């Protein structure tokens, strides 16, 4: 078992599972069933409290909010989850690509580099 972080660190941690299912659903303006459905679609995997209750982080709530936007526009939940996963993967790939460019000392449009 790892020592618990100080409260100030936990409040700043986007990955700290601070929200119960009920509170998360309330914040998103949705139902606990929606959160269960996106969990079943493997968009997010809530952590569990010692009592077995689902707990969500701020990062997970942002992901869930994006899925909810798509569902509210008529996208089926499975498709919405896949879109959000792909958007997240693209963002991560772009971040890594930018790090490689910085490390290599190149930027898009620099001679000897390919355009993005």
């Amino acid at each position: 078992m790892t020592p618990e972080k100080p409260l100030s660190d936990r409040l700043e941690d986007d990955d700290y599972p601070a929200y119960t299912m009920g509170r998360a659903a309330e914040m998103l303006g949705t139902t606990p069933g929606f959160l269960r459905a996106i969990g079943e679609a493997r968009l997010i995997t809530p952590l569990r409290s010692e009592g077995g209750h689902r707990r969500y982080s701020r990062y997970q709530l942002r992901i869930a909010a994006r899925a909810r936007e798509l569902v509210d526009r008529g996208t089926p939940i499975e498709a919405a989850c896949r879109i959000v996963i792909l958007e997240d993967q693209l963002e991560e790939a772009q971040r890594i690509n930018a790090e490689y460019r910085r490390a290599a000392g190149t930027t898009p449009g620099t001679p000897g580099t390919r355009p993005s």
Side-chain angles (χ1 to χ4, degrees), residues 81-98:
C81 290
R82 186 68 182 138
I83 289 167
V84 173
I85 289 167
L86 291 170
E87 287 175 342
D88 196 49
Q89 289 172 344
L90 176 59
E91 185 178 313
E92 178 67 6
Q94 289 173 329
R95 184 192 62 74
I96 291 168
N97 193 16

Side-chain angles (χ1 to χ4, degrees), residues 52-102:
H53 300 282
R54 290 175 178 90
R55 305 284 295 195
Y56 298 89
S57 68
R58 290 188 307 198
Y59 173 75
Q60 290 173 322
L61 294 184
R62 285 194 300 272
I63 296 293
R66 176 66 180 129
R68 174 153 187 241
E69 289 173 9
L70 292 168
V71 169
D72 287 350
R73 292 184 191 161
T75 305
I77 197 161
E78 289 286 334
C81 290
R82 186 68 182 138
I83 289 167
V84 173
I85 289 167
L86 291 170
E87 287 175 342
D88 196 49
Q89 289 172 344
L90 176 59
E91 185 178 313
E92 178 67 6
Q94 289 173 329
R95 184 192 62 74
I96 291 168
N97 193 16
E99 286 178 13
Y100 286 144
R101 283 192 179 127
R102 278 192 296 277

Side-chain angles (χ1 to χ4, degrees), residues 28-66:
L28 295 170
T30 190
T31 65
F34 175 80
L35 291 171
R36 281 191 293 275
I38 63 174
E40 289 169 10
R42 296 188 176 151
L43 177 60
I44 59 175
T45 303
L47 294 175
R48 298 283 181 151
S49 68
E50 288 184 20
H53 300 282
R54 290 175 178 90
R55 305 284 295 195
Y56 298 89
S57 68
R58 290 188 307 198
Y59 173 75
Q60 290 173 322
L61 294 184
R62 285 194 300 272
I63 296 293
R66 176 66 180 129

